Amino acid sequence: MRKINKILVANRGEIALRVMRTAKEMGIRTVAIYSEADRNALHVRFADEAVCVGGPKSSESYLRGDVILDVCRQLQVDAIHPGYGFLSENATFAAKVKEAGFIFIGPSPEAIELMGSKLAAKAAVARYHIPMVPGTEHAITDVEEAKQIAQQVGFPILIKASAGGGGKGMRVVEDVASFEEQMRLAVSEAISAFGDGAVFIEKYIGSPRHIEIQVLGDTQGNIVHLFERECSIQRRHQKVIEEAPSSVLTPVLREEMGRCAVNVAKACDYVGAGTVEFLLDEQKNFYFLEMNTRLQVEHPVTEQITGLDMVKEQILIAEGLPLSFTQEDLQIQGHALELRVYAEDPANNFLPDIGKLETYKRPQGLGVRVDDGFEQGMDIPIYYDPMIAKLVTFGKDRQEAIDKMLRAIDEYQITGIETTLPFGKFVLQHEAFVSGDFDTKFIERYFNPEVLSLEAGETAQEIAAVLAATLLEEKKAPKAASAPAPTSTSSGSSWFRNRTK
Ligand code: ADP
Ligand code: ADP
Ligand code: MG
């Protein structure tokens, strides 16, 4: 047992603030680190102490583990909270923190390392009979052998980087003819993005839902799950809208997936907050994807339905305290939704749209929570992930959460940059979303930029004009879908860890 009196938050933006808020409530002092681009950032002002650790690029600041450890020594902190992204899943850094005598608020370096490799993770959980997507269990190196396996598994298949993350490092292969070329590209992408060329094959599940289970483990070996989050609304294999609970899980399936997730955590002696990700197919078979060994971006929806403060639980666990509840004590209350408000242009393939927040007014009111790190007049820096805020709503049931989200989106005022707010409004009003019948193909299937301009409330004539133009476009280029291609892997900038190159 070791009381934590001072925490350095090795992160920026909304998550740095979110962690510091809880620390403050617990009477813990906070240290912010920041880059030259973040001098005026809110997390810097919120912290008790703040230290500039270097230049704007992540590699010059937020990723400099040794500099961060120096700050810890100088300011005599007890613990480091890594947030998500940056150093949060860097096993070497976690080990150095420990060696230097500080507490790393997260799992052991061994667990991070094991789960950081999708292949090693699959091998580790195999003895618990966790269902897995059919494919290879080892890295593929021999093209001919790999082709054979792909044929056995059946096309389409997915070539995945074992060290991949953040939706990057995946290639869909439709047929054997394109296999060799795609494998070559996948390997070279994996090397350049993750410094590790190991790739493997997974069957490409056609219309899956992404359902993940939040777990919490203490240092005494108790592990519980905090139910699921549905994260199927994705662009570029990355989440935009999340909710808890999922509208498709029955109590029986929830229990089964929960038990599997706890077993995955057991397989690596997991300590702290972690997430076990699954795909659920149309027949409601679920398959283990990977485990994320950190606080997840979308943790607020779990907080809303369980009444638990995830960061507080992380800190108590890091102090060595046992969980103060058992699985039986936990219950789902109400329904929560999260919309990631990104500085991205949904009308332009969700490409980052960086600039100044000319107007920035948050929505308020009962059941609305905004986790952000910006104020009106601030610039969104080009160096980091373009997420501005997480808009979270909570209601007694799903419909109430949806109604609140729609109201909150209308109330949110952002000008100066394009954001995912209008996209969120489109999704939340879409019949497929409202009925709960949707999967990770939502954007591909239903979204095209024109629906956003219709949304703005034009006259009937204008709507007719847009529709006519769309039809004409479709005739010209039948397959020119506006949704991002599922094969996109390293498209766009690589934020966080792999931003260093
Ligand atoms: P979550 O898994 O928490 O839902 P994301 O997949 O969006 O959220 O990842 C959280 C953040 O960390 C994202 O901004 C993503 O870009 C970044 N990230 C996660 N894993 C990696 C990785 N292996 N390489 C680069 N960036 C990553
Ligand atoms: P990352 O580490 O980048 O988060 P994941 O393995 O968690 O990678 O997959 C991210 C997303 O990619 C999933 O949520 C899903 O939408 C899609 N995906 C991953 N594996 C498959 C698969 N075998 N079949 C279909 N879609 C998949
Ligand atoms: Mg994932």
Side-chain angles (χ1 to χ4, degrees):
M1 222 75 75
R2 181 172 156 200
K3 177 88 185 79
I4 295 174
N5 296 307
K6 200 181 203 181
I7 291 178
L8 179 142
V9 182
N11 216 298
R12 63 180 300 281
E14 67 87 17
I15 196 63
L17 267 172
R18 193 259 162 272
V19 171
M20 288 178 195
R21 287 201 166 104
T22 290
K24 191 164 185 170
E25 287 165 19
M26 295 173 77
I28 297 171
R29 293 179 61 79
T30 54
V31 177
I33 56 161
Y34 62 96
S35 74
E36 282 156 18
D38 278 339
R39 283 192 184 284
N40 301 317
L42 295 183
H43 78 281
V44 177
R45 281 187 252 158
F46 191 93
D48 295 310
E49 292 166 277
V51 181
C52 181
V53 288
K57 285 188 196 151
S58 305
S59 58
E60 298 169 352
S61 50
Y62 296 105
L63 289 172
R64 289 179 68 187
D66 292 340
V67 176
I68 293 168
L69 281 172
D70 281 342
V71 175
C72 289
R73 279 184 277 262
Q74 276 158 22
L75 299 183
Q76 300 188 323
V77 313
D78 301 302
I80 296 181
H81 194 300
Y84 55 74
F86 296 127
L87 295 167
S88 62
E89 290 170 286
N90 185 318
T92 312
F93 177 67
K96 280 190 183 164
V97 171
K98 217 170 147 182
E99 269 161 41
F102 304 111
I103 296 172
F104 181 78
I105 303 179
S108 68
E110 293 77 23
I112 298 176
E113 178 152 11
L114 188 65
M115 293 296 158
S117 155
K118 294 188 204 289
L119 279 170
K122 289 188 186 206
V125 306
R127 70 190 149 108
Y128 286 96
H129 309 291
I130 311 288
M132 269 177 270
V133 187
T136 51
E137 279 152 30
H138 304 282
I140 50 170
T141 43
D142 185 275
V143 179
E144 285 312 313
E145 191 195 328
K147 257 191 212 171
Q148 271 176 16
I149 295 168
Q151 267 163 329
Q152 278 160 22
V153 168
F155 287 96
I157 57 110
L158 199 56
I159 302 184
K160 256 191 191 181
S162 181
K168 299 179 189 84
M170 268 176 263
R171 282 197 164 254
V172 184
V173 189
E174 299 289 347
D175 49 45
V176 71
S178 52
F179 186 88
E180 204 162 328
E181 167 75 354
Q182 294 295 327
M183 180 171 157
R184 199 181 53 73
L185 290 169
V187 172
S188 75
E189 273 168 14
I191 292 171
S192 68
F194 310 106
D196 174 359
V199 298
F200 63 102
I201 292 172
E202 252 179 29
K203 177 157 187 64
Y204 185 66
I205 312 270
S207 291
R209 297 173 81 114
H210 174 116
I211 302 217
E212 58 186 35
I213 308 276
Q214 176 71 54
V215 296
L216 271 183
D218 64 20
T219 48
Q220 281 76 13
N222 304 303
I223 303 179
V224 298
H225 72 83
L226 306 183
F227 316 108
E228 79 277 9
R229 290 185 290 257
E230 156 87 60
C231 314
S232 298
I233 307 290
Q234 306 181 343
R235 49 99 184 78
R236 295 191 280 270
H237 303 300
Q238 224 196 1
K239 305 150 190 171
V240 197
I241 296 176
E242 300 100 340
E243 65 179 312
S246 161
S247 47
V248 282
L249 289 206
T250 58
V252 172
L253 191 52
R254 176 171 295 123
E255 225 226 80
E256 211 181 317
M257 291 179 77
R259 201 173 40 220
C260 269
V262 167
N263 279 335
V264 169
K266 276 190 186 146
C268 61
D269 297 319
Y270 202 79
V271 171
T275 297
V276 182
E277 297 189 333
F278 296 98
L279 287 183
L280 186 74
D281 71 14
E282 285 166 299
Q283 287 74 45
K284 292 206 181 171
N285 301 305
F286 64 88
Y287 309 94
F288 170 66
L289 263 189
E290 63 161 348
M291 179 168 193
N292 292 326
T293 56
R294 55 174 156 90
L295 188 67
Q296 204 97 350
V297 174
E298 58 276 19
H299 74 277
V301 292
T302 300
E303 297 187 318
Q304 299 299 141
I305 63 153
T306 58
L308 288 171
D309 177 331
M310 296 288 300
V311 173
K312 185 172 183 180
E313 296 305 324
Q314 283 188 301
I315 294 172
L316 295 174
I317 289 167
E319 287 185 327
L321 290 161
L323 292 176
S324 61
F325 45 81
T326 63
Q327 190 67 57
E328 290 68 43
D329 297 329
L330 294 165
Q331 261 181 14
I332 298 179
Q333 287 282 333
H335 200 100
L337 288 169
E338 174 181 281
L339 167 63
R340 299 192 192 187
V341 184
Y342 280 103
E344 288 180 355
D345 186 359
N348 187 16
N349 254 332
F350 294 87
L351 287 179
D353 187 43
I354 312 286
K356 197 193 194 86
L357 289 168
E358 302 288 353
T359 319
Y360 186 73
K361 295 206 171 69
R362 301 171 186 95
Q364 294 180 329
L366 184 64
V368 175
R369 164 177 174 182
V370 182
D371 281 21
D372 66 7
F374 291 99
E375 268 180 348
Q376 187 159 297
M378 283 183 172
D379 286 310
I380 311 284
I382 55 166
Y383 305 98
Y384 319 109
D385 185 282
M387 195 174 74
I388 304 167
K390 301 186 302 204
L391 175 57
V392 181
T393 60
F394 178 64
K396 67 175 186 312
D397 54 30
R398 190 167 188 264
Q399 190 55 52
E400 197 173 279
I402 291 177
D403 294 341
K404 280 180 188 290
M405 183 62 86
L406 286 168
R407 187 269 290 170
I409 291 172
D410 277 346
E411 206 176 311
Y412 219 140
Q413 289 178 44
I414 303 181
T415 65
I417 45 170
E418 297 299 328
T419 74
T420 46
L421 280 173
F423 169 74
K425 186 165 178 179
F426 166 76
V427 176
L428 277 126
Q429 288 177 319
H430 197 282
E431 189 272 328
F433 185 83
V434 175
S435 69
D437 182 17
F438 61 94
D439 54 52
T440 59
K441 293 283 162 62
F442 182 95
I443 290 182
E444 214 173 295
R445 212 170 276 149
Y446 305 117
F447 181 71
N448 69 65
E450 281 74 26
V451 298
L452 295 180
S453 38
L454 294 183
E455 232 273 312
E458 280 107 315
T459 63
Q461 239 176 356
E462 281 169 307
I463 292 174
V466 173
L467 280 176
T470 317
L471 282 175
L472 210 68
E473 275 302 306
E474 272 171 15
K475 269 194 190 144
K476 269 191 258 164
K479 275 276 163 181
S482 45
T487 40
S488 70
T489 49
S490 47
S491 57
S493 328
S494 341
W495 311 97
F496 285 97
R497 264 194 270 160
N498 46 16
R499 218 192 123 96
T500 48
K501 299 150 281 114

XYZ file of all heavy atoms in Angstrom, residues 118 133-134 158 160-161 163-170 194 200 202-211 231-232 234 236-239 277-279 289-290 292 294 440-441, ligand 2:
360
model
N -0.794 -8.318 -31.001
C -2.069 -9.017 -31.170
C -1.847 -10.526 -31.234
O -2.668 -11.300 -30.750
C -2.787 -8.521 -32.419
C -3.234 -7.056 -32.342
C -4.111 -6.702 -33.523
C -4.124 -5.232 -33.861
N -4.811 -4.373 -32.931
N -11.257 -15.000 -34.199
C -11.533 -14.939 -35.634
C -10.629 -15.961 -36.313
O -9.429 -16.007 -36.022
C -11.217 -13.533 -36.193
C -11.657 -13.416 -37.647
C -11.876 -12.449 -35.348
N -11.161 -16.797 -37.211
C -10.297 -17.765 -37.889
C -9.161 -17.054 -38.630
O -9.363 -15.973 -39.172
C -11.237 -18.438 -38.899
C -12.620 -18.152 -38.434
C -12.560 -16.888 -37.626
N -8.304 -10.393 -43.995
C -7.693 -9.154 -43.548
C -6.243 -9.467 -43.204
O -5.972 -10.451 -42.519
C -8.447 -8.706 -42.294
C -8.375 -7.285 -41.795
C -8.799 -6.300 -42.860
C -9.271 -7.131 -40.571
N -3.301 -8.108 -41.063
C -3.222 -7.178 -39.935
C -1.821 -7.102 -39.373
O -1.142 -8.131 -39.259
C -4.088 -7.736 -38.797
C -5.395 -7.045 -38.622
C -6.008 -7.523 -37.309
C -7.425 -7.063 -37.216
N -8.050 -7.463 -35.971
N -1.414 -5.910 -38.971
C -0.127 -5.756 -38.293
C -0.296 -6.191 -36.843
O -1.209 -5.733 -36.161
C 0.315 -4.300 -38.350
N 1.469 -5.457 -34.361
C 1.709 -4.328 -33.449
C 0.780 -3.151 -33.731
O 0.937 -2.089 -33.145
C 3.161 -3.873 -33.574
N -0.204 -3.356 -34.603
C -1.069 -2.254 -35.026
C -1.924 -1.664 -33.921
O -2.091 -2.255 -32.860
N -2.441 -0.475 -34.190
C -3.323 0.198 -33.239
C -3.889 1.443 -33.855
O -3.445 1.870 -34.923
N -4.896 2.016 -33.192
C -5.495 3.254 -33.686
C -6.135 3.093 -35.060
O -6.237 4.044 -35.813
N -6.546 1.867 -35.384
C -7.206 1.616 -36.673
C -6.244 1.517 -37.841
O -6.662 1.382 -38.983
N -4.952 1.563 -37.558
C -3.977 1.539 -38.655
C -3.330 0.165 -38.796
O -3.224 -0.579 -37.840
C -2.899 2.592 -38.404
C -3.486 3.985 -38.344
C -2.420 5.034 -38.078
C -3.076 6.367 -37.799
N -3.505 6.525 -36.400
N -2.874 -0.125 -39.999
C -2.141 -1.375 -40.230
C -3.028 -2.543 -40.614
O -2.775 -3.666 -40.206
N -4.107 -2.259 -41.375
C -5.006 -3.334 -41.797
C -5.248 -3.246 -43.296
O -5.438 -2.161 -43.821
C -6.354 -3.180 -41.110
C -6.460 -3.938 -39.836
S -8.030 -3.589 -39.047
C -7.540 -2.346 -37.902
N 4.889 0.924 -37.239
C 5.024 0.363 -35.885
C 6.418 -0.191 -35.589
O 6.658 -0.727 -34.508
C 3.975 -0.730 -35.658
C 2.581 -0.295 -36.019
C 1.956 -0.761 -37.166
C 1.897 0.624 -35.232
C 0.683 -0.332 -37.525
C 0.621 1.055 -35.569
C 0.015 0.571 -36.721
N -0.354 -10.860 -39.808
C -1.044 -12.148 -39.773
C -2.378 -12.026 -40.510
O -2.781 -10.937 -40.918
C -1.229 -12.647 -38.338
C -2.098 -11.758 -37.478
C -3.422 -12.091 -37.219
C -1.591 -10.596 -36.918
C -4.224 -11.274 -36.434
C -2.386 -9.768 -36.131
C -3.704 -10.109 -35.880
N -6.514 -12.691 -40.774
C -7.776 -12.932 -40.072
C -8.872 -12.993 -41.110
O -8.827 -12.274 -42.103
C -8.085 -11.761 -39.123
C -7.916 -12.102 -37.678
C -8.211 -10.937 -36.738
O -9.020 -10.063 -37.080
O -7.615 -10.930 -35.657
N -9.850 -13.819 -40.864
C -11.009 -13.799 -41.753
C -11.642 -12.417 -41.646
O -11.722 -11.843 -40.563
C -12.013 -14.875 -41.346
C -13.252 -14.833 -42.215
C -13.991 -16.152 -42.250
C -15.114 -16.104 -43.270
N -14.627 -15.928 -44.663
N -12.054 -11.869 -42.781
C -12.701 -10.559 -42.758
C -14.185 -10.770 -42.506
O -14.907 -11.307 -43.348
C -12.466 -9.835 -44.088
C -12.994 -8.429 -44.086
C -12.437 -7.463 -43.253
C -14.056 -8.062 -44.905
C -12.920 -6.174 -43.238
C -14.539 -6.763 -44.891
C -13.970 -5.830 -44.057
O -14.450 -4.542 -44.037
N -14.614 -10.402 -41.331
C -16.022 -10.580 -40.971
C -16.819 -9.492 -41.695
O -16.516 -8.308 -41.566
C -16.226 -10.458 -39.445
C -15.197 -11.301 -38.681
C -17.662 -10.770 -39.051
C -15.558 -12.701 -38.382
N -17.852 -9.902 -42.429
C -18.555 -8.979 -43.309
C -19.240 -7.811 -42.631
O -18.994 -6.660 -42.952
N -20.111 -8.089 -41.708
C -20.888 -7.024 -41.074
C -20.837 -7.154 -39.558
O -21.834 -7.461 -38.918
C -22.343 -7.089 -41.546
O -22.409 -6.738 -42.897
N -19.660 -6.900 -38.998
C -19.554 -7.130 -37.553
C -19.940 -5.895 -36.753
O -19.948 -4.776 -37.259
C -18.058 -7.398 -37.375
C -17.400 -6.558 -38.423
C -18.374 -6.471 -39.577
N -20.257 -6.129 -35.511
C -20.377 -5.024 -34.562
C -19.136 -5.084 -33.695
O -18.621 -6.165 -33.399
C -21.627 -5.184 -33.700
C -22.907 -5.132 -34.525
C -24.112 -5.451 -33.686
N -24.542 -4.303 -32.923
C -25.707 -3.669 -33.103
N -26.554 -4.080 -34.020
N -26.040 -2.640 -32.354
N -18.642 -3.909 -33.313
C -17.505 -3.856 -32.388
C -18.081 -3.684 -30.989
O -18.683 -2.671 -30.677
C -16.590 -2.686 -32.738
C -15.474 -2.485 -31.752
N -14.132 -2.621 -32.082
C -15.482 -2.175 -30.433
C -13.397 -2.398 -31.012
N -14.184 -2.113 -29.999
N -17.890 -4.719 -30.185
C -18.385 -4.654 -28.804
C -17.218 -4.954 -27.879
O -16.507 -5.944 -28.060
C -19.523 -5.667 -28.589
C -20.617 -5.332 -29.613
C -20.007 -5.641 -27.127
C -22.010 -5.479 -29.217
N -19.235 0.055 -30.083
C -18.419 1.073 -30.778
C -18.410 0.816 -32.269
O -17.363 0.845 -32.919
C -16.981 1.042 -30.273
S -16.801 0.976 -28.493
N -19.563 0.526 -32.842
C -19.580 0.116 -34.247
C -19.576 1.275 -35.233
O -19.286 1.061 -36.412
C -20.787 -0.789 -34.511
O -20.680 -1.958 -33.720
N -17.819 3.666 -36.953
C -16.385 3.921 -37.119
C -16.091 4.498 -38.498
O -16.783 4.201 -39.453
C -15.588 2.611 -37.020
C -15.832 1.800 -35.769
C -14.996 0.528 -35.746
O -14.472 0.090 -36.771
N -14.863 -0.072 -34.573
N -12.418 4.799 -40.858
C -11.023 4.327 -40.881
C -10.730 3.341 -39.739
O -9.700 3.430 -39.084
C -10.047 5.508 -40.785
C -10.086 6.444 -41.968
C -8.907 7.425 -41.925
N -9.112 8.530 -41.018
C -9.683 9.687 -41.368
N -10.098 9.876 -42.603
N -9.826 10.647 -40.489
N -11.655 2.434 -39.468
C -11.516 1.452 -38.389
C -11.362 2.111 -37.023
O -10.806 1.535 -36.108
C -10.337 0.504 -38.620
C -10.403 -0.246 -39.910
N -11.438 -1.096 -40.220
C -9.573 -0.257 -40.962
C -11.237 -1.604 -41.415
N -10.117 -1.107 -41.899
N -11.802 3.348 -36.904
C -11.684 4.033 -35.619
C -13.026 4.604 -35.206
O -13.774 5.139 -36.028
C -10.636 5.135 -35.728
C -9.735 5.154 -34.532
C -8.953 6.454 -34.426
O -9.105 7.350 -35.238
N -8.141 6.543 -33.407
N -13.292 4.530 -33.918
C -14.621 4.860 -33.395
C -14.970 6.351 -33.460
O -14.111 7.191 -33.239
C -14.656 4.418 -31.925
C -14.285 2.964 -31.746
C -13.618 2.692 -30.398
C -13.059 1.288 -30.357
N -12.215 1.036 -29.171
N -11.551 -6.162 -26.524
C -12.376 -5.877 -27.701
C -12.788 -7.159 -28.420
O -11.980 -8.076 -28.587
C -11.594 -4.981 -28.675
C -11.258 -3.622 -28.077
C -10.674 -2.643 -29.100
O -10.056 -3.095 -30.089
O -10.840 -1.436 -28.895
N -14.052 -7.175 -28.845
C -14.596 -8.318 -29.571
C -15.307 -7.842 -30.835
O -15.785 -6.710 -30.908
C -15.645 -9.045 -28.726
C -15.141 -9.678 -27.468
C -15.274 -9.027 -26.248
C -14.546 -10.940 -27.492
C -14.825 -9.618 -25.063
C -14.099 -11.535 -26.318
C -14.235 -10.875 -25.100
N -15.388 -8.736 -31.808
C -16.310 -8.519 -32.922
C -17.481 -9.462 -32.697
O -17.301 -10.586 -32.219
C -15.646 -8.855 -34.265
C -14.592 -7.888 -34.797
C -14.113 -8.356 -36.168
C -15.110 -6.464 -34.863
N -10.706 -9.772 -30.328
C -9.870 -8.997 -31.254
C -8.527 -8.662 -30.636
O -7.464 -8.972 -31.160
C -10.558 -7.665 -31.572
C -11.393 -7.485 -32.817
C -11.739 -6.019 -32.970
C -10.677 -7.980 -34.063
N -8.581 -7.948 -29.514
C -7.357 -7.508 -28.854
C -7.718 -6.938 -27.493
O -8.887 -6.727 -27.186
C -6.661 -6.421 -29.681
C -7.488 -5.147 -29.829
C -6.657 -3.931 -30.226
O -5.410 -3.985 -30.176
O -7.266 -2.907 -30.564
N -6.816 -3.622 -25.010
C -6.156 -2.329 -24.870
C -5.825 -2.116 -23.401
O -6.714 -2.126 -22.554
C -7.056 -1.207 -25.389
C -7.246 -1.287 -26.890
O -6.330 -1.687 -27.616
N -8.418 -0.949 -27.369
N -5.092 0.221 -21.262
C -5.084 1.617 -20.827
C -6.514 2.070 -20.605
O -7.457 1.347 -20.903
C -4.465 2.478 -21.916
C -5.211 2.267 -23.234
C -4.750 3.177 -24.334
N -5.037 2.629 -25.633
C -6.144 2.826 -26.325
N -7.105 3.563 -25.827
N -6.315 2.282 -27.507
N -20.340 -2.085 -38.219
C -19.185 -1.219 -38.530
C -19.226 -0.685 -39.964
O -18.414 0.152 -40.334
C -17.842 -1.962 -38.328
O -17.825 -3.107 -39.187
C -17.662 -2.417 -36.889
N -20.173 -1.179 -40.768
C -20.295 -0.717 -42.152
C -21.255 0.464 -42.279
O -21.623 0.845 -43.389
C -20.790 -1.874 -43.035
C -19.797 -2.993 -43.175
C -18.696 -2.591 -44.153
C -17.464 -3.433 -44.033
N -17.709 -4.834 -44.324
P -6.751 -1.562 -33.620
O -5.621 -2.085 -32.813
O -6.318 -0.681 -34.710
O -7.824 -0.981 -32.752
P -8.532 -3.845 -33.994
O -8.076 -5.228 -34.205
O -9.067 -3.510 -32.653
O -7.345 -2.843 -34.349
O -9.632 -3.496 -35.091
C -10.133 -2.211 -35.286
C -11.402 -2.251 -36.127
O -11.156 -2.861 -37.405
C -12.517 -3.095 -35.530
O -13.293 -2.377 -34.611
C -13.306 -3.488 -36.766
O -14.133 -2.444 -37.205
C -12.226 -3.695 -37.801
N -11.784 -5.113 -37.836
C -10.737 -5.649 -37.163
N -10.613 -6.973 -37.420
C -11.612 -7.295 -38.264
C -12.025 -8.503 -38.908
N -11.371 -9.665 -38.745
N -13.111 -8.461 -39.720
C -13.777 -7.297 -39.924
N -13.438 -6.132 -39.357
C -12.366 -6.114 -38.533
